[in-house]
Short mmCIF file of all heavy atoms in Angstrom, two decimals:
data_model
loop_
_atom_site.label_atom_id
_atom_site.label_comp_id
_atom_site.label_asym_id
_atom_site.label_seq_id
_atom_site.Cartn_x
_atom_site.Cartn_y
_atom_site.Cartn_z
N LEU S 1 16.28 -27.96 -18.91
CA LEU S 1 15.83 -26.70 -18.21
C LEU S 1 15.96 -26.94 -16.66
O LEU S 1 16.41 -26.15 -15.98
CB LEU S 1 14.51 -26.29 -18.66
CG LEU S 1 14.00 -24.99 -18.21
CD1 LEU S 1 14.97 -23.81 -18.53
CD2 LEU S 1 12.59 -24.75 -18.65
N ASN S 2 15.41 -28.12 -16.22
CA ASN S 2 15.45 -28.40 -14.85
C ASN S 2 16.92 -28.53 -14.29
O ASN S 2 17.17 -27.98 -13.23
CB ASN S 2 14.71 -29.72 -14.59
CG ASN S 2 14.34 -29.85 -13.08
OD1 ASN S 2 14.07 -28.91 -12.40
ND2 ASN S 2 14.37 -31.08 -12.66
N THR S 3 17.76 -29.19 -14.96
CA THR S 3 19.12 -29.33 -14.49
C THR S 3 19.82 -27.98 -14.46
O THR S 3 20.53 -27.63 -13.56
CB THR S 3 19.90 -30.31 -15.39
OG1 THR S 3 19.25 -31.61 -15.37
CG2 THR S 3 21.37 -30.44 -14.88
N GLY S 4 19.62 -27.18 -15.48
CA GLY S 4 20.20 -25.89 -15.54
C GLY S 4 19.71 -24.92 -14.44
O GLY S 4 20.48 -24.22 -13.78
N ASN S 5 18.41 -25.01 -14.15
CA ASN S 5 17.82 -24.20 -13.10
C ASN S 5 18.48 -24.57 -11.74
O ASN S 5 18.76 -23.76 -10.96
CB ASN S 5 16.32 -24.33 -13.10
CG ASN S 5 15.63 -23.36 -12.14
OD1 ASN S 5 16.05 -22.20 -12.06
ND2 ASN S 5 14.63 -23.84 -11.45
N THR S 6 18.54 -25.96 -11.49
CA THR S 6 19.07 -26.40 -10.23
C THR S 6 20.52 -26.00 -10.07
O THR S 6 20.94 -25.53 -8.98
CB THR S 6 18.96 -27.90 -10.22
OG1 THR S 6 17.56 -28.32 -10.28
CG2 THR S 6 19.45 -28.51 -8.83
N THR S 7 21.28 -26.08 -11.14
CA THR S 7 22.71 -25.77 -11.14
C THR S 7 22.92 -24.24 -10.87
O THR S 7 23.70 -23.88 -10.00
CB THR S 7 23.41 -26.21 -12.41
OG1 THR S 7 23.17 -27.60 -12.61
CG2 THR S 7 24.92 -25.89 -12.37
N TYR S 8 22.27 -23.38 -11.54
CA TYR S 8 22.46 -21.97 -11.32
C TYR S 8 22.02 -21.53 -9.98
O TYR S 8 22.60 -20.64 -9.36
CB TYR S 8 21.91 -21.13 -12.49
CG TYR S 8 20.53 -20.43 -12.28
CD1 TYR S 8 20.57 -19.24 -11.65
CD2 TYR S 8 19.35 -21.03 -12.71
CE1 TYR S 8 19.34 -18.51 -11.45
CE2 TYR S 8 18.18 -20.38 -12.49
CZ TYR S 8 18.17 -19.12 -11.89
OH TYR S 8 16.95 -18.43 -11.66
N LYS S 9 20.98 -22.20 -9.43
CA LYS S 9 20.48 -21.87 -8.07
C LYS S 9 21.53 -22.31 -7.10
O LYS S 9 21.74 -21.60 -6.11
CB LYS S 9 19.15 -22.47 -7.79
CG LYS S 9 17.97 -21.75 -8.38
CD LYS S 9 17.84 -20.43 -7.83
CE LYS S 9 16.57 -19.72 -8.25
NZ LYS S 9 16.49 -18.34 -7.75
N ALA S 10 22.15 -23.43 -7.28
CA ALA S 10 23.16 -23.96 -6.32
C ALA S 10 24.36 -23.00 -6.35
O ALA S 10 24.96 -22.65 -5.32
CB ALA S 10 23.57 -25.39 -6.74
N VAL S 11 24.74 -22.56 -7.57
CA VAL S 11 25.98 -21.66 -7.65
C VAL S 11 25.55 -20.28 -6.96
O VAL S 11 26.40 -19.67 -6.31
CB VAL S 11 26.30 -21.42 -9.12
CG1 VAL S 11 27.32 -20.30 -9.31
CG2 VAL S 11 26.90 -22.72 -9.67
N GLN S 12 24.33 -19.88 -7.20
CA GLN S 12 23.84 -18.58 -6.64
C GLN S 12 23.99 -18.67 -5.02
O GLN S 12 24.54 -17.78 -4.49
CB GLN S 12 22.46 -18.27 -7.05
CG GLN S 12 21.88 -17.02 -6.41
CD GLN S 12 20.43 -16.78 -6.71
OE1 GLN S 12 19.74 -17.67 -7.22
NE2 GLN S 12 19.97 -15.59 -6.58
N GLN S 13 23.50 -19.75 -4.53
CA GLN S 13 23.49 -19.89 -3.07
C GLN S 13 24.97 -20.05 -2.56
O GLN S 13 25.25 -19.38 -1.55
CB GLN S 13 22.73 -21.16 -2.66
CG GLN S 13 21.28 -20.99 -2.92
CD GLN S 13 20.55 -20.04 -1.99
OE1 GLN S 13 20.97 -19.90 -0.85
NE2 GLN S 13 19.54 -19.30 -2.54
N ALA S 14 25.75 -20.80 -3.23
CA ALA S 14 27.17 -21.02 -2.81
C ALA S 14 28.04 -19.72 -2.87
O ALA S 14 28.85 -19.44 -2.03
CB ALA S 14 27.77 -22.16 -3.57
N SER S 15 27.80 -18.92 -3.92
CA SER S 15 28.57 -17.80 -4.11
C SER S 15 28.07 -16.48 -3.57
O SER S 15 28.74 -15.42 -3.57
CB SER S 15 28.88 -17.59 -5.64
OG SER S 15 27.66 -17.36 -6.27
N LYS S 16 26.85 -16.51 -3.14
CA LYS S 16 26.09 -15.35 -2.55
C LYS S 16 26.06 -14.25 -3.58
O LYS S 16 26.12 -13.00 -3.29
CB LYS S 16 26.88 -14.85 -1.27
CG LYS S 16 27.08 -15.85 -0.21
CD LYS S 16 26.13 -15.69 0.92
CE LYS S 16 26.48 -16.54 2.08
NZ LYS S 16 25.83 -17.81 2.13
N CYS S 17 25.88 -14.61 -4.84
CA CYS S 17 25.76 -13.69 -5.96
C CYS S 17 24.26 -13.65 -6.45
O CYS S 17 23.50 -14.52 -6.09
CB CYS S 17 26.63 -14.07 -7.10
SG CYS S 17 28.36 -13.92 -6.80
N VAL S 18 23.92 -12.64 -7.16
CA VAL S 18 22.58 -12.59 -7.86
C VAL S 18 22.70 -13.28 -9.13
O VAL S 18 23.56 -13.03 -10.02
CB VAL S 18 22.12 -11.09 -8.05
CG1 VAL S 18 20.85 -11.07 -8.80
CG2 VAL S 18 22.06 -10.37 -6.72
N ALA S 19 21.80 -14.24 -9.35
CA ALA S 19 21.69 -14.99 -10.64
C ALA S 19 20.27 -14.78 -11.17
O ALA S 19 19.30 -14.82 -10.45
CB ALA S 19 21.99 -16.49 -10.39
N ILE S 20 20.22 -14.34 -12.39
CA ILE S 20 18.95 -14.11 -13.02
C ILE S 20 18.83 -15.07 -14.25
O ILE S 20 19.70 -15.10 -15.06
CB ILE S 20 18.92 -12.58 -13.53
CG1 ILE S 20 19.09 -11.66 -12.37
CG2 ILE S 20 17.56 -12.36 -14.16
CD1 ILE S 20 19.21 -10.17 -12.83
N GLY S 21 17.68 -15.75 -14.22
CA GLY S 21 17.54 -16.63 -15.40
C GLY S 21 16.58 -17.72 -15.12
O GLY S 21 16.01 -17.80 -14.01
N PRO S 22 16.35 -18.60 -16.05
CA PRO S 22 16.93 -18.55 -17.42
C PRO S 22 16.29 -17.46 -18.26
O PRO S 22 15.22 -17.11 -18.04
CB PRO S 22 16.50 -19.97 -18.00
CG PRO S 22 15.31 -20.32 -17.23
CD PRO S 22 15.42 -19.75 -15.86
N ILE S 23 17.08 -16.87 -19.08
CA ILE S 23 16.70 -15.79 -19.97
C ILE S 23 16.57 -16.39 -21.39
O ILE S 23 17.56 -16.96 -21.90
CB ILE S 23 17.70 -14.67 -19.98
CG1 ILE S 23 17.94 -14.07 -18.55
CG2 ILE S 23 17.30 -13.55 -20.95
CD1 ILE S 23 16.74 -13.50 -17.88
N MET S 24 15.43 -16.35 -21.93
CA MET S 24 15.18 -16.92 -23.26
C MET S 24 15.46 -15.84 -24.30
O MET S 24 15.09 -14.73 -24.19
CB MET S 24 13.75 -17.42 -23.40
CG MET S 24 13.53 -18.54 -22.41
SD MET S 24 11.88 -19.17 -22.58
CE MET S 24 11.74 -20.06 -21.07
N GLN S 25 16.18 -16.28 -25.45
CA GLN S 25 16.52 -15.35 -26.41
C GLN S 25 16.08 -15.90 -27.81
O GLN S 25 15.89 -17.10 -27.93
CB GLN S 25 18.02 -15.10 -26.43
CG GLN S 25 18.42 -14.44 -25.19
CD GLN S 25 20.01 -14.20 -25.19
OE1 GLN S 25 20.67 -14.62 -26.14
NE2 GLN S 25 20.47 -13.51 -24.22
N GLY S 26 15.97 -15.10 -28.79
CA GLY S 26 15.62 -15.55 -30.12
C GLY S 26 14.22 -15.62 -30.43
O GLY S 26 13.89 -16.07 -31.57
N LEU S 27 13.32 -15.22 -29.50
CA LEU S 27 11.90 -15.26 -29.81
C LEU S 27 11.48 -13.91 -30.24
O LEU S 27 12.11 -12.87 -30.04
CB LEU S 27 11.11 -15.65 -28.53
CG LEU S 27 11.54 -16.95 -27.96
CD1 LEU S 27 10.76 -17.19 -26.63
CD2 LEU S 27 11.15 -18.17 -28.92
N ARG S 28 10.32 -13.82 -30.97
CA ARG S 28 9.87 -12.53 -31.50
C ARG S 28 9.44 -11.63 -30.33
O ARG S 28 9.62 -10.37 -30.41
CB ARG S 28 8.63 -12.81 -32.35
CG ARG S 28 8.29 -11.66 -33.24
CD ARG S 28 7.33 -11.95 -34.31
NE ARG S 28 6.61 -13.21 -34.06
CZ ARG S 28 5.34 -13.49 -34.40
NH1 ARG S 28 4.63 -12.52 -34.99
NH2 ARG S 28 4.77 -14.57 -34.16
N MET S 29 8.93 -12.10 -29.26
CA MET S 29 8.52 -11.28 -28.09
C MET S 29 9.36 -11.75 -26.86
O MET S 29 9.68 -12.86 -26.80
CB MET S 29 7.01 -11.46 -27.88
CG MET S 29 6.12 -11.05 -28.96
SD MET S 29 6.16 -9.32 -29.37
CE MET S 29 5.21 -8.66 -28.03
N PRO S 30 9.55 -10.79 -25.92
CA PRO S 30 10.24 -11.27 -24.70
C PRO S 30 9.50 -12.17 -23.79
O PRO S 30 8.28 -11.93 -23.44
CB PRO S 30 10.56 -9.94 -24.01
CG PRO S 30 9.58 -8.90 -24.53
CD PRO S 30 9.21 -9.44 -25.88
N VAL S 31 10.06 -13.37 -23.56
CA VAL S 31 9.42 -14.34 -22.66
C VAL S 31 10.52 -14.97 -21.81
O VAL S 31 11.58 -15.30 -22.29
CB VAL S 31 8.76 -15.45 -23.54
CG1 VAL S 31 8.20 -16.57 -22.63
CG2 VAL S 31 7.74 -14.93 -24.48
N ASN S 32 10.27 -15.03 -20.55
CA ASN S 32 11.24 -15.58 -19.58
C ASN S 32 10.51 -16.57 -18.70
O ASN S 32 9.31 -16.56 -18.57
CB ASN S 32 12.07 -14.52 -18.89
CG ASN S 32 12.89 -13.77 -19.83
OD1 ASN S 32 13.74 -14.37 -20.53
ND2 ASN S 32 12.76 -12.49 -19.85
N ASP S 33 11.30 -17.35 -17.93
CA ASP S 33 10.72 -18.44 -17.16
C ASP S 33 11.01 -18.24 -15.71
O ASP S 33 12.12 -17.78 -15.32
CB ASP S 33 11.26 -19.78 -17.59
CG ASP S 33 10.71 -20.95 -16.90
OD1 ASP S 33 9.49 -21.08 -16.78
OD2 ASP S 33 11.52 -21.80 -16.34
N LEU S 34 10.07 -18.63 -14.86
CA LEU S 34 10.22 -18.63 -13.33
C LEU S 34 9.83 -19.91 -12.83
O LEU S 34 8.93 -20.57 -13.30
CB LEU S 34 9.38 -17.50 -12.69
CG LEU S 34 9.76 -16.05 -12.94
CD1 LEU S 34 8.63 -15.13 -12.51
CD2 LEU S 34 11.02 -15.73 -12.19
N SER S 35 10.68 -20.48 -11.88
CA SER S 35 10.35 -21.73 -11.30
C SER S 35 9.32 -21.57 -10.22
O SER S 35 9.07 -20.44 -9.64
CB SER S 35 11.63 -22.39 -10.72
OG SER S 35 12.15 -21.60 -9.67
N ARG S 36 8.70 -22.65 -9.79
CA ARG S 36 7.70 -22.57 -8.66
C ARG S 36 8.29 -22.10 -7.37
O ARG S 36 7.55 -21.51 -6.59
CB ARG S 36 6.99 -23.96 -8.51
CG ARG S 36 6.04 -24.30 -9.60
CD ARG S 36 5.52 -25.65 -9.45
NE ARG S 36 6.49 -26.61 -10.03
CZ ARG S 36 6.71 -27.81 -9.76
NH1 ARG S 36 5.97 -28.33 -8.77
NH2 ARG S 36 7.56 -28.50 -10.34
N GLY S 37 9.53 -22.34 -7.14
CA GLY S 37 10.15 -21.99 -5.89
C GLY S 37 10.82 -20.61 -5.93
O GLY S 37 11.64 -20.31 -4.96
N CYS S 38 10.47 -19.79 -6.87
CA CYS S 38 11.20 -18.46 -6.98
C CYS S 38 10.78 -17.56 -5.80
O CYS S 38 9.72 -17.70 -5.28
CB CYS S 38 10.94 -17.82 -8.30
SG CYS S 38 9.23 -17.34 -8.53
N THR S 39 11.63 -16.62 -5.60
CA THR S 39 11.36 -15.53 -4.56
C THR S 39 10.83 -14.35 -5.19
O THR S 39 10.84 -14.20 -6.39
CB THR S 39 12.69 -15.32 -3.79
OG1 THR S 39 13.58 -14.65 -4.73
CG2 THR S 39 13.32 -16.52 -3.23
N VAL S 40 10.42 -13.42 -4.41
CA VAL S 40 9.94 -12.14 -4.88
C VAL S 40 11.05 -11.36 -5.59
O VAL S 40 10.87 -10.75 -6.66
CB VAL S 40 9.37 -11.23 -3.74
CG1 VAL S 40 9.06 -9.80 -4.19
CG2 VAL S 40 8.14 -11.86 -3.13
N THR S 41 12.28 -11.49 -5.07
CA THR S 41 13.49 -10.94 -5.73
C THR S 41 13.70 -11.52 -7.16
O THR S 41 14.00 -10.80 -8.09
CB THR S 41 14.71 -11.08 -4.89
OG1 THR S 41 14.43 -10.51 -3.61
CG2 THR S 41 15.86 -10.46 -5.52
N ASP S 42 13.49 -12.88 -7.23
CA ASP S 42 13.67 -13.47 -8.59
C ASP S 42 12.63 -12.95 -9.49
O ASP S 42 12.91 -12.76 -10.74
CB ASP S 42 13.43 -14.98 -8.46
CG ASP S 42 14.54 -15.68 -7.67
OD1 ASP S 42 15.62 -15.25 -7.59
OD2 ASP S 42 14.18 -16.82 -7.07
N ILE S 43 11.39 -12.71 -9.09
CA ILE S 43 10.32 -12.15 -9.92
C ILE S 43 10.68 -10.78 -10.39
O ILE S 43 10.54 -10.41 -11.59
CB ILE S 43 8.97 -12.19 -9.23
CG1 ILE S 43 8.52 -13.70 -8.94
CG2 ILE S 43 7.89 -11.49 -10.04
CD1 ILE S 43 7.33 -13.80 -8.00
N VAL S 44 11.13 -9.94 -9.45
CA VAL S 44 11.41 -8.59 -9.77
C VAL S 44 12.57 -8.55 -10.77
O VAL S 44 12.46 -7.78 -11.76
CB VAL S 44 11.82 -7.77 -8.55
CG1 VAL S 44 12.38 -6.40 -8.85
CG2 VAL S 44 10.60 -7.60 -7.62
N ASN S 45 13.59 -9.34 -10.53
CA ASN S 45 14.76 -9.33 -11.46
C ASN S 45 14.39 -9.77 -12.90
O ASN S 45 14.80 -9.18 -13.86
CB ASN S 45 15.91 -10.23 -10.89
CG ASN S 45 16.54 -9.68 -9.75
OD1 ASN S 45 16.55 -8.47 -9.47
ND2 ASN S 45 17.23 -10.52 -8.98
N THR S 46 13.54 -10.79 -12.93
CA THR S 46 13.06 -11.36 -14.22
C THR S 46 12.18 -10.32 -14.94
O THR S 46 12.28 -10.10 -16.18
CB THR S 46 12.39 -12.65 -14.02
OG1 THR S 46 13.25 -13.53 -13.41
CG2 THR S 46 11.92 -13.25 -15.39
N VAL S 47 11.35 -9.57 -14.19
CA VAL S 47 10.50 -8.54 -14.84
C VAL S 47 11.39 -7.39 -15.39
O VAL S 47 11.20 -6.93 -16.45
CB VAL S 47 9.46 -8.02 -13.79
CG1 VAL S 47 8.86 -6.74 -14.28
CG2 VAL S 47 8.39 -9.06 -13.43
N ILE S 48 12.45 -7.06 -14.64
CA ILE S 48 13.38 -5.99 -15.05
C ILE S 48 14.03 -6.36 -16.44
O ILE S 48 14.01 -5.57 -17.37
CB ILE S 48 14.43 -5.66 -14.02
CG1 ILE S 48 13.75 -4.99 -12.79
CG2 ILE S 48 15.51 -4.80 -14.62
CD1 ILE S 48 14.65 -4.83 -11.61
N VAL S 49 14.52 -7.56 -16.43
CA VAL S 49 15.15 -8.07 -17.69
C VAL S 49 14.19 -8.15 -18.83
O VAL S 49 14.43 -7.73 -19.92
CB VAL S 49 15.85 -9.43 -17.40
CG1 VAL S 49 16.32 -10.08 -18.74
CG2 VAL S 49 16.99 -9.30 -16.50
N THR S 50 12.99 -8.63 -18.55
CA THR S 50 11.96 -8.74 -19.64
C THR S 50 11.54 -7.38 -20.09
O THR S 50 11.39 -7.17 -21.38
CB THR S 50 10.72 -9.46 -19.08
OG1 THR S 50 11.13 -10.81 -18.61
CG2 THR S 50 9.74 -9.75 -20.20
N CYS S 51 11.44 -6.43 -19.26
CA CYS S 51 11.17 -4.97 -19.73
C CYS S 51 12.26 -4.48 -20.54
O CYS S 51 12.07 -3.88 -21.57
CB CYS S 51 10.90 -4.06 -18.48
SG CYS S 51 9.41 -4.41 -17.56
N ILE S 52 13.53 -4.69 -20.22
CA ILE S 52 14.62 -4.21 -21.02
C ILE S 52 14.58 -4.87 -22.31
O ILE S 52 14.86 -4.20 -23.38
CB ILE S 52 15.94 -4.52 -20.23
CG1 ILE S 52 16.10 -3.57 -19.00
CG2 ILE S 52 17.15 -4.24 -21.20
CD1 ILE S 52 17.15 -3.91 -18.09
N GLN S 53 14.31 -6.21 -22.37
CA GLN S 53 14.19 -6.91 -23.71
C GLN S 53 13.02 -6.30 -24.54
O GLN S 53 13.23 -6.12 -25.72
CB GLN S 53 13.96 -8.36 -23.49
CG GLN S 53 15.05 -9.18 -22.95
CD GLN S 53 14.71 -10.61 -22.58
OE1 GLN S 53 13.59 -10.81 -22.05
NE2 GLN S 53 15.65 -11.47 -22.87
N ALA S 54 11.86 -5.97 -23.90
CA ALA S 54 10.82 -5.43 -24.63
C ALA S 54 11.16 -3.99 -25.24
O ALA S 54 10.83 -3.74 -26.35
CB ALA S 54 9.56 -5.36 -23.72
N ILE S 55 11.76 -3.24 -24.38
CA ILE S 55 12.18 -1.83 -24.85
C ILE S 55 13.09 -1.95 -26.03
O ILE S 55 13.03 -1.26 -27.09
CB ILE S 55 12.77 -1.09 -23.66
CG1 ILE S 55 11.64 -0.71 -22.70
CG2 ILE S 55 13.42 0.21 -24.24
CD1 ILE S 55 12.15 -0.19 -21.43
N ALA S 56 14.14 -2.84 -25.88
CA ALA S 56 15.09 -3.04 -26.97
C ALA S 56 14.42 -3.64 -28.21
O ALA S 56 14.78 -3.16 -29.36
CB ALA S 56 16.18 -3.95 -26.47
N GLY S 57 13.51 -4.50 -28.05
CA GLY S 57 12.75 -5.04 -29.20
C GLY S 57 11.92 -3.99 -30.02
O GLY S 57 11.86 -4.00 -31.14
N LYS S 58 11.32 -3.05 -29.19
CA LYS S 58 10.54 -1.98 -29.87
C LYS S 58 11.47 -1.11 -30.63
O LYS S 58 11.07 -0.46 -31.66
CB LYS S 58 9.76 -1.20 -28.80
CG LYS S 58 8.56 -1.86 -28.38
CD LYS S 58 7.71 -1.03 -27.51
CE LYS S 58 6.48 -1.69 -27.15
NZ LYS S 58 5.37 -0.81 -26.63
N ARG S 59 12.72 -0.95 -30.21
CA ARG S 59 13.65 -0.13 -30.97
C ARG S 59 14.33 -0.86 -32.01
O ARG S 59 15.17 -0.32 -32.77
CB ARG S 59 14.68 0.38 -29.94
CG ARG S 59 14.16 1.39 -28.94
CD ARG S 59 15.22 1.78 -28.05
NE ARG S 59 14.70 2.74 -26.98
CZ ARG S 59 15.23 3.07 -25.88
NH1 ARG S 59 16.50 2.59 -25.65
NH2 ARG S 59 14.78 3.84 -25.07
N GLY S 60 14.15 -2.20 -32.17
CA GLY S 60 14.75 -3.02 -33.23
C GLY S 60 16.19 -3.25 -32.93
O GLY S 60 16.99 -3.31 -33.90
N GLN S 61 16.57 -3.34 -31.71
CA GLN S 61 18.01 -3.56 -31.41
C GLN S 61 18.12 -4.61 -30.31
O GLN S 61 17.14 -5.02 -29.72
CB GLN S 61 18.67 -2.23 -30.95
CG GLN S 61 18.03 -1.74 -29.68
CD GLN S 61 18.54 -0.31 -29.42
OE1 GLN S 61 18.84 0.41 -30.33
NE2 GLN S 61 18.52 0.11 -28.16
N GLU S 62 19.36 -4.99 -30.12
CA GLU S 62 19.71 -5.87 -28.97
C GLU S 62 19.62 -5.09 -27.72
O GLU S 62 19.66 -3.85 -27.68
CB GLU S 62 21.14 -6.41 -29.18
CG GLU S 62 21.26 -7.37 -30.36
CD GLU S 62 20.48 -8.69 -30.22
OE1 GLU S 62 20.51 -9.18 -29.05
OE2 GLU S 62 19.94 -9.07 -31.14
N ALA S 63 19.50 -5.79 -26.61
CA ALA S 63 19.49 -5.14 -25.29
C ALA S 63 20.81 -4.38 -25.18
O ALA S 63 21.87 -4.74 -25.54
CB ALA S 63 19.39 -6.16 -24.16
N PRO S 64 20.73 -3.18 -24.63
CA PRO S 64 21.89 -2.29 -24.57
C PRO S 64 23.00 -2.92 -23.70
O PRO S 64 22.77 -3.70 -22.82
CB PRO S 64 21.29 -1.01 -23.79
CG PRO S 64 20.09 -1.45 -23.19
CD PRO S 64 19.49 -2.65 -23.95
N ALA S 65 24.18 -2.50 -24.02
CA ALA S 65 25.38 -3.05 -23.31
C ALA S 65 25.29 -2.62 -21.86
O ALA S 65 24.86 -1.54 -21.51
CB ALA S 65 26.68 -2.51 -23.91
N GLY S 66 25.56 -3.50 -20.93
CA GLY S 66 25.53 -3.22 -19.55
C GLY S 66 24.16 -3.39 -18.88
O GLY S 66 23.95 -3.08 -17.77
N TRP S 67 23.19 -4.04 -19.59
CA TRP S 67 21.88 -4.18 -19.07
C TRP S 67 21.87 -5.14 -17.85
O TRP S 67 21.07 -4.93 -16.94
CB TRP S 67 20.83 -4.65 -20.08
CG TRP S 67 21.04 -6.08 -20.61
CD1 TRP S 67 21.81 -6.38 -21.66
CD2 TRP S 67 20.58 -7.24 -20.04
NE1 TRP S 67 21.85 -7.79 -21.82
CE2 TRP S 67 21.03 -8.36 -20.80
CE3 TRP S 67 19.72 -7.49 -18.94
CZ2 TRP S 67 20.75 -9.65 -20.57
CZ3 TRP S 67 19.47 -8.84 -18.71
CH2 TRP S 67 19.87 -9.86 -19.50
N GLU S 68 22.79 -6.02 -17.76
CA GLU S 68 22.90 -6.94 -16.69
C GLU S 68 23.29 -6.11 -15.42
O GLU S 68 22.69 -6.33 -14.35
CB GLU S 68 23.98 -8.01 -16.86
CG GLU S 68 23.71 -8.90 -18.08
CD GLU S 68 24.47 -8.46 -19.30
OE1 GLU S 68 24.90 -7.28 -19.37
OE2 GLU S 68 24.67 -9.30 -20.21
N SER S 69 24.12 -5.22 -15.55
CA SER S 69 24.59 -4.32 -14.41
C SER S 69 23.48 -3.45 -13.96
O SER S 69 23.28 -3.29 -12.80
CB SER S 69 25.74 -3.49 -14.76
OG SER S 69 26.82 -4.30 -15.13
N ALA S 70 22.62 -2.93 -14.88
CA ALA S 70 21.52 -2.10 -14.56
C ALA S 70 20.47 -2.87 -13.74
O ALA S 70 19.95 -2.41 -12.78
CB ALA S 70 20.85 -1.45 -15.84
N ALA S 71 20.15 -4.10 -14.20
CA ALA S 71 19.25 -4.95 -13.59
C ALA S 71 19.77 -5.36 -12.17
O ALA S 71 18.99 -5.27 -11.15
CB ALA S 71 18.99 -6.24 -14.41
N ALA S 72 21.04 -5.60 -11.97
CA ALA S 72 21.54 -5.95 -10.71
C ALA S 72 21.51 -4.76 -9.77
O ALA S 72 21.26 -4.86 -8.55
CB ALA S 72 23.02 -6.49 -10.90
N ALA S 73 21.81 -3.58 -10.34
CA ALA S 73 21.78 -2.30 -9.46
C ALA S 73 20.36 -2.04 -8.97
O ALA S 73 20.13 -1.73 -7.77
CB ALA S 73 22.28 -1.14 -10.29
N VAL S 74 19.35 -2.21 -9.83
CA VAL S 74 18.01 -2.02 -9.35
C VAL S 74 17.64 -3.01 -8.27
O VAL S 74 17.05 -2.69 -7.30
CB VAL S 74 17.02 -2.05 -10.59
CG1 VAL S 74 15.64 -2.06 -10.05
CG2 VAL S 74 17.31 -0.88 -11.52
N SER S 75 17.98 -4.24 -8.55
CA SER S 75 17.76 -5.35 -7.52
C SER S 75 18.43 -5.01 -6.27
O SER S 75 17.80 -5.20 -5.12
CB SER S 75 18.16 -6.66 -8.12
OG SER S 75 17.96 -7.69 -7.18
N GLY S 76 19.65 -4.57 -6.26
CA GLY S 76 20.39 -4.31 -5.07
C GLY S 76 19.78 -3.14 -4.29
O GLY S 76 19.69 -3.13 -3.04
N ALA S 77 19.32 -2.21 -4.98
CA ALA S 77 18.67 -1.00 -4.39
C ALA S 77 17.34 -1.36 -3.78
O ALA S 77 17.07 -0.95 -2.55
CB ALA S 77 18.38 0.14 -5.44
N ARG S 78 16.66 -2.25 -4.35
CA ARG S 78 15.32 -2.74 -3.76
C ARG S 78 15.68 -3.54 -2.50
O ARG S 78 14.95 -3.44 -1.50
CB ARG S 78 14.61 -3.64 -4.74
CG ARG S 78 13.93 -2.84 -5.87
CD ARG S 78 13.13 -3.73 -6.69
NE ARG S 78 12.57 -3.05 -7.88
CZ ARG S 78 11.46 -2.44 -7.92
NH1 ARG S 78 10.70 -2.37 -6.86
NH2 ARG S 78 11.05 -1.86 -9.01
N ALA S 79 16.67 -4.40 -2.58
CA ALA S 79 17.03 -5.22 -1.41
C ALA S 79 17.48 -4.35 -0.26
O ALA S 79 17.08 -4.61 0.93
CB ALA S 79 18.10 -6.23 -1.77
N ALA S 80 18.31 -3.28 -0.53
CA ALA S 80 18.76 -2.40 0.56
C ALA S 80 17.57 -1.67 1.14
O ALA S 80 17.51 -1.46 2.42
CB ALA S 80 19.80 -1.40 -0.05
N ALA S 81 16.66 -1.19 0.39
CA ALA S 81 15.48 -0.52 0.86
C ALA S 81 14.61 -1.42 1.64
O ALA S 81 14.11 -0.97 2.78
CB ALA S 81 14.64 0.10 -0.33
N ALA S 82 14.51 -2.65 1.28
CA ALA S 82 13.70 -3.62 2.08
C ALA S 82 14.37 -3.88 3.43
O ALA S 82 13.70 -4.08 4.43
CB ALA S 82 13.48 -4.89 1.28
N ALA S 83 15.62 -4.00 3.42
CA ALA S 83 16.39 -4.30 4.63
C ALA S 83 16.30 -3.11 5.71
O ALA S 83 16.27 -3.30 6.83
CB ALA S 83 17.84 -4.54 4.39
N ARG S 84 16.23 -1.88 5.15
CA ARG S 84 16.03 -0.78 5.96
C ARG S 84 14.62 -0.64 6.59
O ARG S 84 14.41 -0.04 7.61
CB ARG S 84 16.39 0.50 5.27
CG ARG S 84 17.83 0.78 5.00
CD ARG S 84 18.06 2.17 4.46
NE ARG S 84 17.38 2.41 3.19
CZ ARG S 84 17.96 2.29 2.00
NH1 ARG S 84 19.18 1.98 1.90
NH2 ARG S 84 17.29 2.52 0.91
N GLY S 85 13.69 -1.25 5.94
CA GLY S 85 12.35 -1.32 6.45
C GLY S 85 11.54 -0.34 5.76
O GLY S 85 10.71 0.35 5.80
#
């Protein structure tokens, strides 16, 4: 877990992309992990993904197609709003 977290953070920084994770799957309830060094944006993104997992779980289905794009769009909108002040 530690090596995976370090690697995805390095790729995120180098590529200037949004990386969300680690995302845990296969559990009865949605549970995801945040590192001690996470940012507010990391927390918001993880909460969005966890909410989508919870909604999909209540419906008895997998997360809807394109949920990654929806989470990224919400995160981008929040970042743009924060930049504007």
